[in-house]
Amino acid sequence: MRLKYAFLCLTFLTIVSCKTEPEKTEEQKRWESHVANTTIIRDDFGVPHIYGKTDADAVFGLLYAQSEDDFNRVEQNYIWATGRLAEVDGKEAIYSDVRARLFMTQEEAIANYERSPEWLKKLCIAFADGINYYLKMHPEVTPRLLTHFEPWMPMYFSEGSIGGDIERVSTRKLEAMYGSGMEVPLETELAIQREQEMQEPQGSNGIAISGALTQSGNPLLLINPHTSFYFRGEVHVVSEEGLNAYGAVTWGQFFVYQGFNEKTGWMHTSTYTDVIDEFVETIEKDVNGKLVYRYGDEHRPVMQYDMTIPYKDGDVMKEVILPAYRTHHGPITQIKDGKWVASALMWEPVKALEQSYIRSKQDGYKGFREMMDIRTNSSNNTVYADAEGNIAYFHGNYIPKRDESFDYTKPVDGSNPKTDWQGLHTVDEAIQLLNPENGWLQNCNSTPFTAALEYSPKKEDYPGYMSIDRENFRGVHAIDLLKKGENYTLDSLIELGYDSYLPGFAVLIPGLVEAYDKNKGSKEMGVIIDELKNWDYRTSKESKAMTLAHYYGTEYLKTGKRPKNSLTPMQLLAYFGQESPLEERIAIFQKVIDRLEGDFGTALIAWGEVHRFQRINGDIKQPFNDDLPSTAVGLASGRWGALAAYGERYTNNTKKMYGTRGNSFVAVVEFGDKVKAKTSLAGGQSGDPDSPHFDDQIQPYVDAQFKEVAYYKEDVLKRAKKTYHPGEE
């Protein structure tokens, strides 16, 4: 009897236990599977080496590791991309959200996800699972807005560029149209243009060198993006399904954007290819009072829907409801001369995600070239090298065909069907290079027609819209160094990438010296001018001439009187150095002297004293402070021709200058029997000030001291500092 009672009790407890333990959700089951199949190894610089059984496991681990390093930036990128920025940043961000929602609604993002191939869906699900599992295991982390990530979110953020094509659509023009039904006045447009010109240039450098010019006989690749600091982390992601990619990943994305695997390497530079056009629409009303637009002999309905934009106002959430308008050309983005204008750009998120991921798994030129046929890498050029010995350059990738009788540098008549895009150019029709005879190629956001000097593509062989034939001082600098080089190694390629000569100042500064000599300026100014007379146009932390030149060049670009005809940045600097009034040069230099003496007590101050690196906290916008510790920087702005660019796009009204963008992640790679690489990262891997990897790379970064990459498993294990499954502390 007692035994029977015990059995009944046990049975009852089992039933109660089964009833009270909730059944696991599909999400939880996926988490468990991914965790069991994923290992993260952190090396001595905190770089995560993620090993997964499948690609989806690796993506899960990658997003978990990214969230560990900087969830703030992961979340920020999706708040921005999905059009919800005003919910955290307030009213001033409304038209950023309008822009995002004009090009894709949430319903359209979900539909794009649903029609994705199954392999891509698995990666998108793993993306969301990796972040959501991180949030589940770290309840102390409070998101600003996004408490649960969805697998359709990557559709908004599909190719990795800093902003991509969509940021070329002006939020000021959107606000003028959707906020007040007006167009932006010409003087405001010119002010916007001048403001953009004064910002630290964005862009990148890519250099590929064939084995014929290297000491080892193996090709070398310089991967040198210029982005805002901390925009990308450094990662290594591996699976048993053929993935083994190392490089820079934009926070929140599941593919290595710029990097290499064992056999191939890829570097992207912003392109001058025309990939965005504007179409002036003729809007009318039909007999029912509905909006239509003229297209040839027909009238087509204007697509309309309402956008409800929530925004933060103090501690209160409010919302504004705005209409959205589209034609077959694209969303209506501005009013020009009283007419609506639609913007057309590449918007194929599924294909773009496919291309971005497939790129990282290619093992030779044939596969890489076939991947380029997807043709969605719209905002970039690609510099390439591989273990087969190839070096290559692709100028653009998504290039619409156009009727060249129309001028697409200006808005064209959208009512004329002849102005429509006529499909895409094939990759073979686009500007490209493969194994030029000189043994090197480069692109520094410069013209493709000097990419390999006399072995470059010829301008006359291509439609004018394929590229602006415009050089810059970084391109000039790179060519001058490359045409004299030989016996390259990884270290000598680093030296080339950090060469301190600034060709822009070799154009500008002699004109200032000439003005002083001819105008017989004051003795006090003469002492300062002597510093420039004796300068070799090389930047360094110790150089006082560099300080004078930077302040002078910046002030001249800001306040100098410009000629009426439009000039390129290179031409403008040459004008200020050679053709501008002598008295203007002296007057502007006097302003520079007065400012330096007012801020620092002397105009003769070393560059490193005023030019600094400071990382205070994990904020996306740093609260720079002259009273807090910082590090001297001898690098210079890309505007003057510095290949290793370092510049500022905002200040906190400090007297010293603190870098915000330029060299961020940099790699040099050698492709032989085994891949070898060295890298540099601005600041450190982690966005957490309490992490030892928050600022451990600042000094090596400013000193151009690169770290060896641990690529092969045996090397990773030798440098392993922490090995764990996601969720383990």
Side-chain angles (χ1 to χ4, degrees):
M1 185 72 179
R2 193 172 293 174
L3 182 62
K4 183 178 179 181
Y5 175 77
F7 174 76
L8 288 173
C9 287
L10 180 62
T11 302
F12 174 76
L13 289 172
T14 302
I15 293 170
V16 169
S17 174
C18 289
K19 284 184 178 179
T20 57
E21 184 177 327
E23 186 177 346
K24 291 176 183 176
T25 66
E26 289 302 312
E27 181 182 52
Q28 289 171 328
K29 291 176 184 177
R30 291 196 306 269
W31 286 352
E32 286 187 0
S33 175
H34 285 315
V35 167
N37 292 323
T38 306
T39 301
I40 301 172
I41 303 175
R42 296 277 182 174
D43 68 21
D44 44 341
F45 285 93
V47 175
H49 302 258
I50 300 108
Y51 294 87
K53 183 177 179 63
T54 66
D55 281 6
D57 292 327
V59 165
F60 174 87
L62 174 61
L63 270 298
Y64 186 92
Q66 286 186 55
S67 298
E68 286 184 304
D69 286 337
D70 209 329
F71 175 76
N72 184 28
R73 283 182 167 78
V74 171
E75 183 189 21
Q76 175 68 16
N77 281 342
Y78 283 95
I79 292 173
W80 167 80
T82 58
R84 299 186 64 184
L85 195 58
E87 294 178 55
V88 293
D89 285 356
K91 197 171 184 177
E92 64 273 14
I94 285 175
Y95 289 93
S96 173
D97 292 350
V98 166
R99 180 174 60 190
R101 298 185 190 200
L102 279 172
F103 281 94
M104 188 160 67
T105 65
Q106 180 174 313
E107 292 74 22
E108 289 168 330
I110 293 170
N112 275 305
Y113 164 73
E114 292 293 347
R115 68 179 181 84
S116 298
E118 285 304 313
W119 69 266
L120 185 58
K121 280 186 183 178
K122 288 180 182 178
L123 300 187
C124 290
I125 293 169
F127 146 85
D129 283 345
I131 305 173
N132 292 330
Y133 184 65
Y134 168 81
L135 291 174
K136 173 70 174 177
M137 300 305 295
H138 294 82
E140 75 281 3
V141 174
T142 303
R144 297 171 72 202
L145 181 66
L146 303 178
T147 56
H148 194 269
F149 285 71
E150 302 293 342
W152 46 263
M153 287 181 173
M155 298 296 146
Y156 281 98
F157 197 38
S158 58
E159 62 101 350
S161 291
I162 183 162
D165 297 331
I166 194 171
E167 284 212 325
R168 301 193 203 181
V169 176
S170 168
T171 54
R172 295 195 198 184
K173 292 179 181 179
L174 285 170
E175 182 174 8
M177 179 186 164
Y178 285 95
S180 58
M182 299 172 62
E183 60 186 280
V184 174
L186 178 60
E187 46 285 14
T188 303
E189 282 202 55
L190 292 174
I192 293 171
Q193 182 180 337
R194 179 68 65 88
E195 181 182 302
Q196 290 172 339
E197 287 176 358
M198 288 307 301
Q199 291 181 338
E200 172 63 19
Q202 64 183 48
S204 305
N205 307 323
I207 295 175
I209 300 174
S210 80
L213 295 178
T214 67
Q215 200 172 95
S216 64
N218 298 324
L220 301 180
L221 179 66
L222 171 68
I223 299 171
N224 185 194
H226 297 161
T227 68
S228 52
F229 295 158
Y230 329 122
F231 183 71
R232 298 190 181 107
E234 182 173 345
V235 302
H236 181 201
V237 57
V238 185
S239 81
E240 295 177 20
E241 295 180 336
L243 178 66
N244 194 348
Y246 193 108
V249 62
T250 306
W251 295 111
Q253 294 191 318
F254 57 77
F255 51 86
V256 172
Y257 179 63
Q258 289 162 319
F260 59 94
N261 58 39
E262 188 174 28
K263 300 297 183 183
T264 66
W266 56 96
M267 167 61 205
H268 301 309
T269 63
S270 299
T271 187
Y272 285 153
T273 299
D274 183 5
V275 296
I276 301 177
D277 285 326
E278 294 178 328
F279 295 84
V280 179
E281 307 290 19
T282 301
I283 306 295
E284 300 172 2
K285 287 187 177 180
D286 66 11
V287 292
N288 298 313
K290 294 186 177 181
L291 292 177
V292 294
Y293 66 101
R294 191 181 302 161
Y295 184 69
D297 296 330
E298 60 180 303
H299 286 84
R300 296 184 173 186
V302 174
M303 178 183 172
Q304 296 178 245
Y305 57 93
D306 286 337
M307 298 179 287
T308 301
I309 311 290
Y311 66 93
K312 187 177 181 182
D313 187 7
D315 295 328
V316 179
M317 289 300 297
K318 298 181 179 180
E319 65 180 37
V320 60
I321 299 175
L322 297 170
Y325 304 104
R326 291 181 188 169
T327 71
H328 76 281
H329 294 119
I332 303 298
T333 57
Q334 63 170 301
I335 296 175
K336 184 81 171 174
D337 298 328
K339 288 196 168 187
W340 286 7
V341 179
S343 292
L345 52 79
M346 191 285 295
W347 200 265
E348 298 189 58
V350 176
K351 289 174 65 178
L353 275 175
E354 288 184 68
Q355 183 167 3
S356 293
Y357 191 79
I358 290 170
R359 180 189 302 121
S360 65
K361 297 183 74 172
Q362 300 310 306
D363 61 4
Y365 181 78
K366 182 177 183 294
F368 197 91
R369 170 61 187 78
E370 289 173 355
M371 172 275 302
M372 294 293 287
D373 283 333
I374 299 174
R375 293 179 295 174
T376 56
N377 189 8
S378 58
S379 61
N380 296 304
N381 310 312
T382 302
V383 177
Y384 168 89
D386 67 33
E388 296 169 346
N390 298 300
I391 62 173
Y393 174 68
F394 302 90
H395 193 77
N397 185 234
Y398 175 93
I399 309 172
K401 290 183 179 179
R402 303 165 173 93
D403 184 333
E404 287 195 88
S405 65
F406 298 99
D407 182 5
Y408 287 88
T409 63
K410 302 172 183 176
V412 294
D413 181 5
S415 70
N416 185 346
K418 291 182 179 179
T419 64
D420 269 10
W421 288 351
Q422 300 157 18
L424 298 178
H425 283 282
T426 66
V427 176
D428 287 339
E429 292 170 341
I431 302 169
Q432 59 182 297
L433 270 173
L434 177 63
N435 299 324
E437 290 182 37
N438 59 322
W440 58 262
L441 53 84
Q442 60 79 35
N443 184 261
C444 302
N445 312 112
S446 43
T447 172
F449 307 122
T450 59
L453 278 185
E454 67 268 31
Y455 301 103
S456 304
K458 301 296 183 274
K459 180 180 179 180
E460 58 270 20
D461 293 339
Y462 303 95
Y465 55 74
M466 275 196 180
S467 183
I468 301 171
D469 186 16
R470 186 171 70 195
E471 192 58 272
N472 63 43
F473 284 116
R474 283 185 292 117
V476 169
H477 191 183
I479 290 168
D480 186 59
L481 294 170
L482 285 163
K483 67 185 182 183
K484 298 182 288 191
E486 59 183 355
N487 293 320
Y488 285 103
T489 64
L490 290 179
D491 289 335
S492 66
L493 184 53
I494 293 171
E495 289 175 13
L496 182 150
Y498 283 76
D499 185 80
S500 61
Y501 184 69
L502 301 175
F505 286 137
V507 170
L508 178 68
I509 297 304
L512 172 59
V513 173
E514 175 197 21
Y516 176 81
D517 288 342
K518 288 184 177 179
N519 279 12
K520 303 297 181 186
S522 68
K523 287 185 178 179
E524 291 80 6
M525 182 180 285
V527 173
I528 299 170
I529 287 287
D530 282 343
E531 194 73 31
L532 292 170
K533 277 185 179 179
N534 299 320
W535 189 35
D536 58 4
Y537 309 118
R538 291 189 173 276
T539 184
S540 70
K541 287 182 266 191
E542 299 76 25
S543 175
K544 297 174 182 177
M546 177 63 214
T547 307
L548 294 167
H550 177 86
Y551 276 78
Y552 175 67
T554 302
E555 185 63 31
Y556 218 144
L557 289 172
K558 185 177 180 181
T559 63
K561 187 174 181 180
R562 302 183 179 209
K564 291 183 180 180
N565 55 313
S566 179
L567 300 177
T568 69
M570 279 186 71
Q571 291 169 337
L572 183 60
L573 213 60
Y575 172 81
F576 287 146
Q578 299 163 10
E579 300 180 52
S580 62
L582 300 181
E583 59 274 14
E584 181 183 70
R585 303 176 201 175
I586 293 297
I588 288 177
F589 191 57
Q590 185 61 57
K591 286 174 67 176
V592 167
I593 293 172
D594 293 343
R595 178 182 173 184
L596 289 171
E597 289 180 344
D599 286 349
F600 304 109
T602 177
L604 293 174
I605 184 169
W607 181 231
E609 290 297 309
V610 302
H611 198 227
R612 313 289 292 183
F613 191 117
Q614 188 177 71
R615 191 179 195 187
I616 294 173
N617 57 30
D619 290 353
I620 289 169
K621 188 171 183 178
Q622 289 290 294
F624 297 128
N625 190 325
D626 286 339
D627 295 327
L628 295 178
S630 61
T631 303
V633 178
L635 304 174
S637 167
R639 187 188 308 280
W640 319 126
L643 295 175
Y646 186 95
E648 307 76 34
R649 278 208 170 184
Y650 64 85
T651 69
N652 285 355
N653 296 316
T654 56
K655 292 180 179 179
K656 296 176 182 178
M657 294 181 290
Y658 299 93
T660 65
R661 66 173 299 116
N663 273 27
S664 46
F665 167 83
V666 187
V668 288
V669 191
E670 178 181 327
F671 296 97
D673 293 336
K674 288 185 124 184
V675 67
K676 299 177 184 177
K678 295 185 176 184
T679 62
S680 172
L681 187 69
Q685 179 70 21
S686 175
D688 179 3
D690 294 329
S691 167
H693 303 300
F694 177 73
D695 56 8
D696 60 332
Q697 294 189 61
I698 290 179
Q699 197 63 57
Y701 169 87
V702 300
D703 292 340
Q705 296 299 312
F706 280 47
K707 60 186 181 292
E708 299 270 358
V709 165
Y711 181 82
Y712 294 98
K713 187 72 173 281
E714 59 268 27
D715 297 319
V716 173
L717 293 173
K718 288 175 185 175
R719 289 172 52 183
K721 295 298 181 182
K722 183 180 179 182
T723 302
Y724 59 102
H725 295 288
E728 294 179 351
E729 293 300 326

PDB file of all heavy atoms in Angstrom, residues 517-531:
ATOM      1  N   ASP A 517      56.363  87.719 -49.402  1.00  0.00           N
ATOM      2  CA  ASP A 517      57.595  88.294 -49.959  1.00  0.00           C
ATOM      3  C   ASP A 517      57.303  89.532 -50.806  1.00  0.00           C
ATOM      4  O   ASP A 517      58.062  90.511 -50.773  1.00  0.00           O
ATOM      5  CB  ASP A 517      58.325  87.249 -50.810  1.00  0.00           C
ATOM      6  CG  ASP A 517      58.967  86.159 -49.963  1.00  0.00           C
ATOM      7  OD1 ASP A 517      59.140  86.378 -48.744  1.00  0.00           O
ATOM      8  OD2 ASP A 517      59.281  85.088 -50.523  1.00  0.00           O
ATOM      9  N   LYS A 518      56.218  89.518 -51.532  1.00  0.00           N
ATOM     10  CA  LYS A 518      55.904  90.651 -52.409  1.00  0.00           C
ATOM     11  C   LYS A 518      55.250  91.802 -51.662  1.00  0.00           C
ATOM     12  O   LYS A 518      55.395  92.961 -52.047  1.00  0.00           O
ATOM     13  CB  LYS A 518      54.991  90.190 -53.550  1.00  0.00           C
ATOM     14  CG  LYS A 518      55.710  89.323 -54.577  1.00  0.00           C
ATOM     15  CD  LYS A 518      54.797  88.963 -55.745  1.00  0.00           C
ATOM     16  CE  LYS A 518      55.562  88.167 -56.803  1.00  0.00           C
ATOM     17  NZ  LYS A 518      54.699  87.776 -57.946  1.00  0.00           N
ATOM     18  N   ASN A 519      54.556  91.509 -50.593  1.00  0.00           N
ATOM     19  CA  ASN A 519      53.845  92.564 -49.858  1.00  0.00           C
ATOM     20  C   ASN A 519      54.645  93.126 -48.692  1.00  0.00           C
ATOM     21  O   ASN A 519      54.181  94.038 -48.018  1.00  0.00           O
ATOM     22  CB  ASN A 519      52.507  92.030 -49.332  1.00  0.00           C
ATOM     23  CG  ASN A 519      51.440  92.030 -50.401  1.00  0.00           C
ATOM     24  OD1 ASN A 519      51.737  92.206 -51.571  1.00  0.00           O
ATOM     25  ND2 ASN A 519      50.192  91.831 -49.995  1.00  0.00           N
ATOM     26  N   LYS A 520      55.822  92.514 -48.434  1.00  0.00           N
ATOM     27  CA  LYS A 520      56.681  92.998 -47.347  1.00  0.00           C
ATOM     28  C   LYS A 520      55.890  93.108 -46.044  1.00  0.00           C
ATOM     29  O   LYS A 520      55.733  94.185 -45.462  1.00  0.00           O
ATOM     30  CB  LYS A 520      57.280  94.361 -47.700  1.00  0.00           C
ATOM     31  CG  LYS A 520      58.085  94.380 -48.993  1.00  0.00           C
ATOM     32  CD  LYS A 520      59.300  93.481 -48.901  1.00  0.00           C
ATOM     33  CE  LYS A 520      60.117  93.531 -50.194  1.00  0.00           C
ATOM     34  NZ  LYS A 520      61.230  92.556 -50.202  1.00  0.00           N
ATOM     35  N   GLY A 521      55.380  91.981 -45.566  1.00  0.00           N
ATOM     36  CA  GLY A 521      54.592  91.981 -44.334  1.00  0.00           C
ATOM     37  C   GLY A 521      55.433  92.253 -43.111  1.00  0.00           C
ATOM     38  O   GLY A 521      56.638  92.512 -43.185  1.00  0.00           O
ATOM     39  N   SER A 522      54.810  92.195 -41.970  1.00  0.00           N
ATOM     40  CA  SER A 522      55.474  92.531 -40.707  1.00  0.00           C
ATOM     41  C   SER A 522      56.571  91.526 -40.374  1.00  0.00           C
ATOM     42  O   SER A 522      56.555  90.383 -40.841  1.00  0.00           O
ATOM     43  CB  SER A 522      54.447  92.547 -39.581  1.00  0.00           C
ATOM     44  OG  SER A 522      53.971  91.226 -39.343  1.00  0.00           O
ATOM     45  N   LYS A 523      57.529  91.966 -39.526  1.00  0.00           N
ATOM     46  CA  LYS A 523      58.610  91.072 -39.092  1.00  0.00           C
ATOM     47  C   LYS A 523      58.041  89.914 -38.278  1.00  0.00           C
ATOM     48  O   LYS A 523      58.538  88.792 -38.346  1.00  0.00           O
ATOM     49  CB  LYS A 523      59.623  91.851 -38.261  1.00  0.00           C
ATOM     50  CG  LYS A 523      60.489  92.796 -39.076  1.00  0.00           C
ATOM     51  CD  LYS A 523      61.551  93.437 -38.190  1.00  0.00           C
ATOM     52  CE  LYS A 523      62.463  94.354 -39.018  1.00  0.00           C
ATOM     53  NZ  LYS A 523      63.501  95.008 -38.176  1.00  0.00           N
ATOM     54  N   GLU A 524      57.011  90.216 -37.469  1.00  0.00           N
ATOM     55  CA  GLU A 524      56.414  89.176 -36.638  1.00  0.00           C
ATOM     56  C   GLU A 524      55.835  88.064 -37.526  1.00  0.00           C
ATOM     57  O   GLU A 524      56.035  86.881 -37.252  1.00  0.00           O
ATOM     58  CB  GLU A 524      55.309  89.762 -35.755  1.00  0.00           C
ATOM     59  CG  GLU A 524      55.796  90.703 -34.665  1.00  0.00           C
ATOM     60  CD  GLU A 524      56.094  92.109 -35.194  1.00  0.00           C
ATOM     61  OE1 GLU A 524      55.799  92.373 -36.393  1.00  0.00           O
ATOM     62  OE2 GLU A 524      56.623  92.922 -34.436  1.00  0.00           O
ATOM     63  N   MET A 525      55.160  88.466 -38.601  1.00  0.00           N
ATOM     64  CA  MET A 525      54.623  87.470 -39.518  1.00  0.00           C
ATOM     65  C   MET A 525      55.765  86.758 -40.249  1.00  0.00           C
ATOM     66  O   MET A 525      55.669  85.557 -40.537  1.00  0.00           O
ATOM     67  CB  MET A 525      53.661  88.106 -40.528  1.00  0.00           C
ATOM     68  CG  MET A 525      53.035  87.090 -41.485  1.00  0.00           C
ATOM     69  SD  MET A 525      51.893  87.800 -42.705  1.00  0.00           S
ATOM     70  CE  MET A 525      50.478  88.119 -41.666  1.00  0.00           C
ATOM     71  N   GLY A 526      56.827  87.463 -40.524  1.00  0.00           N
ATOM     72  CA  GLY A 526      57.960  86.882 -41.232  1.00  0.00           C
ATOM     73  C   GLY A 526      58.557  85.701 -40.502  1.00  0.00           C
ATOM     74  O   GLY A 526      58.961  84.705 -41.118  1.00  0.00           O
ATOM     75  N   VAL A 527      58.624  85.793 -39.179  1.00  0.00           N
ATOM     76  CA  VAL A 527      59.161  84.680 -38.382  1.00  0.00           C
ATOM     77  C   VAL A 527      58.295  83.434 -38.574  1.00  0.00           C
ATOM     78  O   VAL A 527      58.797  82.308 -38.694  1.00  0.00           O
ATOM     79  CB  VAL A 527      59.219  85.067 -36.890  1.00  0.00           C
ATOM     80  CG1 VAL A 527      59.615  83.860 -36.036  1.00  0.00           C
ATOM     81  CG2 VAL A 527      60.193  86.210 -36.673  1.00  0.00           C
ATOM     82  N   ILE A 528      56.994  83.661 -38.626  1.00  0.00           N
ATOM     83  CA  ILE A 528      56.058  82.543 -38.787  1.00  0.00           C
ATOM     84  C   ILE A 528      56.113  82.005 -40.218  1.00  0.00           C
ATOM     85  O   ILE A 528      56.095  80.785 -40.445  1.00  0.00           O
ATOM     86  CB  ILE A 528      54.641  82.998 -38.406  1.00  0.00           C
ATOM     87  CG1 ILE A 528      54.627  83.447 -36.935  1.00  0.00           C
ATOM     88  CG2 ILE A 528      53.628  81.891 -38.626  1.00  0.00           C
ATOM     89  CD1 ILE A 528      53.358  84.141 -36.505  1.00  0.00           C
ATOM     90  N   ILE A 529      56.215  82.902 -41.176  1.00  0.00           N
ATOM     91  CA  ILE A 529      56.321  82.493 -42.585  1.00  0.00           C
ATOM     92  C   ILE A 529      57.570  81.656 -42.809  1.00  0.00           C
ATOM     93  O   ILE A 529      57.573  80.689 -43.596  1.00  0.00           O
ATOM     94  CB  ILE A 529      56.320  83.725 -43.512  1.00  0.00           C
ATOM     95  CG1 ILE A 529      54.922  84.345 -43.586  1.00  0.00           C
ATOM     96  CG2 ILE A 529      56.832  83.378 -44.904  1.00  0.00           C
ATOM     97  CD1 ILE A 529      53.918  83.553 -44.395  1.00  0.00           C
ATOM     98  N   ASP A 530      58.645  81.981 -42.107  1.00  0.00           N
ATOM     99  CA  ASP A 530      59.890  81.211 -42.246  1.00  0.00           C
ATOM    100  C   ASP A 530      59.673  79.735 -41.923  1.00  0.00           C
ATOM    101  O   ASP A 530      60.324  78.857 -42.499  1.00  0.00           O
ATOM    102  CB  ASP A 530      60.977  81.794 -41.342  1.00  0.00           C
ATOM    103  CG  ASP A 530      61.597  83.065 -41.926  1.00  0.00           C
ATOM    104  OD1 ASP A 530      61.416  83.297 -43.141  1.00  0.00           O
ATOM    105  OD2 ASP A 530      62.247  83.806 -41.163  1.00  0.00           O
ATOM    106  N   GLU A 531      58.767  79.462 -40.970  1.00  0.00           N
ATOM    107  CA  GLU A 531      58.462  78.074 -40.616  1.00  0.00           C
ATOM    108  C   GLU A 531      57.902  77.333 -41.834  1.00  0.00           C
ATOM    109  O   GLU A 531      58.214  76.166 -42.064  1.00  0.00           O
ATOM    110  CB  GLU A 531      57.456  78.046 -39.466  1.00  0.00           C
ATOM    111  CG  GLU A 531      57.301  76.701 -38.793  1.00  0.00           C
ATOM    112  CD  GLU A 531      58.498  76.341 -37.916  1.00  0.00           C
ATOM    113  OE1 GLU A 531      59.136  77.255 -37.346  1.00  0.00           O
ATOM    114  OE2 GLU A 531      58.796  75.129 -37.812  1.00  0.00           O
TER     115      GLU A 531
END
